[in-house]
Amino acid sequence: MSVFAIIRPDSWNFPLLLHVFGAMVLVGGLLSAVGSLAFARGDARLLRLGYWALLAVSLPGWLAMRIGAGWISSKEGWDNLPEDALPTWLRAGGFIADAGGLILLVSLVVGGVGVYRLREGKGSGLLKATLLLSVVLLGAYVVAAWAMAGKPD
Amino acid sequence: MSLDDWALALHVLSAFSLVAGVIFFWVLIVAVRQADTAERTLRLGPLTRVADAAVGVGMGGTILLGIWLAFSVGGYEIWNGWIVAAIVLWLIAAEFGRRTSAAFAVGVRKARELDAAGQSGPNSELLKVNRTRSGVLLQALSSAVVLLIIIDMIWKPGA
């Protein structure tokens, strides 16, 4: 039977929506941050815009994605299986989600210091590091979304 | 992965691109509300093109691959209620998106006029058009319709 034809119980739909929409918001925040920081060319307003996109959009998106992931995982019964019994796409997606969250936090701290130092005319180097980390995260989450949707094994 | 698996993965990635573009536009709408000079307004131009590209890839990918999947995958037909609803909502989102772009283009045109006239200082008229209420309303409607499409795709009512 094709995986497409499997119908989920209705009670799984909201956790899945929270997971998918959270991931979309996360990627949207990352794209906004990357775009703003990449085109800032030293403009403090755009540097701040990029940082705030990361903080106010990506971080809540990551939280929603991660809460939704835990919720849908428990509903689908993946939590009851040993780690090595999980399909590759699920392990890869989970690893990228969690490692990405850590990198997001690091980039927020580094960027936060950078934004603070903008008042003294400094900090653009730190925000370049935030840009680099955001590009890595954007790429990683695109791969994760592909893996979760295509489910290669 | 089969061809249909690839089509589904790229369909979902297109949806990510669409939502990412819509969110980027919200960030730009917040930014342009503070833009009272031509320079500050026009400075957002390259960012707008990135958001435009994301929405364009997203809109194109979702509809083309979505229709492909409706014909290719067993158990689904193009005339299924939830698929027809998604296509209708996609068309509505496209129209709202077009009108949103038109609403915010007024500010860009005004900024270009001011720039060409050498007026680099703050301009209250420019600030007013950059804070277009109809543009924000249309963007909110467009975003709501995109969210409805995602809900429709997950719940698949009637499937």
Side-chain angles (χ1 to χ4, degrees):
Chain A
M1 182 169 68
S2 164
V3 291
F4 297 101
I6 297 170
I7 303 297
R8 286 180 299 272
D10 278 349
S11 64
W12 294 11
N13 286 336
F14 183 74
L16 183 62
L17 175 69
L18 185 66
H19 175 56
V20 172
F21 192 65
M24 287 173 163
V25 171
L26 165 64
V27 169
L30 285 169
L31 181 70
S32 308
V34 167
S36 304
L37 294 171
F39 286 103
R41 296 195 178 93
D43 183 332
R45 285 185 299 260
L46 290 187
L47 290 171
R48 285 195 188 94
L49 182 71
Y51 178 75
W52 279 100
L54 207 57
L55 182 66
V57 183
S58 289
L59 185 61
W62 185 87
L63 286 170
M65 179 274 293
R66 196 62 195 80
I67 292 167
W71 194 357
I72 190 71
S73 176
S74 69
K75 290 253 180 202
E76 292 183 0
W78 296 116
D79 290 356
N80 304 326
L81 295 177
E83 182 72 20
D84 56 0
L86 296 176
T88 309
W89 60 266
L90 189 58
R91 276 186 287 167
F95 173 77
I96 293 172
D98 291 346
L102 195 63
I103 296 171
L104 179 62
L105 280 180
V106 170
S107 67
L108 283 170
V109 171
V110 170
V113 175
V115 165
Y116 182 78
R117 294 185 68 188
L118 281 176
R119 295 173 189 175
E120 303 153 13
K122 301 172 187 171
S124 60
L126 289 171
L127 286 159
K128 274 183 190 161
T130 299
L131 167 63
L132 186 66
L133 290 171
S134 299
V135 170
V136 170
L137 280 176
L138 189 57
Y141 282 124
V142 167
V143 171
W146 167 80
M148 302 302 273
K151 298 181 172 47
D153 214 4
Chain B
M1 280 172 72
S2 68
L3 189 59
D4 282 347
D5 290 334
W6 272 102
L8 177 65
L10 293 174
H11 177 64
V12 172
L13 283 180
S14 300
F16 269 74
S17 180
L18 171 59
V19 175
V22 169
I23 287 170
F24 200 173
F25 272 120
W26 274 116
V27 170
L28 292 172
I29 286 170
V30 171
V32 86
R33 289 182 72 79
Q34 311 298 321
D36 59 354
T37 67
E39 189 268 339
R40 283 184 73 171
T41 306
L42 296 174
R43 198 86 172 77
L44 299 173
L47 281 67
T48 308
R49 283 190 281 281
V50 174
D52 260 335
V55 169
V57 167
M59 290 295 277
T62 49
I63 195 74
L64 292 174
L65 292 163
I67 288 172
W68 166 281
L69 287 165
F71 282 109
S72 179
V73 174
Y76 297 153
E77 305 294 346
I78 192 77
W79 55 82
N80 288 163
W82 67 276
I83 294 176
V84 172
I87 293 170
V88 171
L89 288 169
W90 184 94
L91 290 168
I92 294 170
E95 180 57 19
F96 279 144
R98 190 189 65 77
R99 291 185 186 204
T100 307
S101 292
F104 283 99
V106 176
V108 176
R109 276 198 300 274
K110 178 73 184 167
R112 284 195 185 128
E113 283 171 17
L114 291 170
D115 190 47
Q119 295 182 30
S120 56
N123 184 289
S124 58
E125 199 183 330
L126 176 63
L127 187 64
K128 192 179 171 191
V129 290
N130 277 342
R131 291 182 173 182
T132 164
R133 281 186 187 176
S134 62
V136 173
L137 178 65
L138 286 162
Q139 170 75 0
L141 289 170
S142 163
S143 306
V145 173
V146 169
L147 181 59
L148 280 177
I149 296 173
I150 298 167
I151 290 170
D152 180 57
M153 288 285 126
I154 289 179
W155 263 262
K156 296 182 175 53

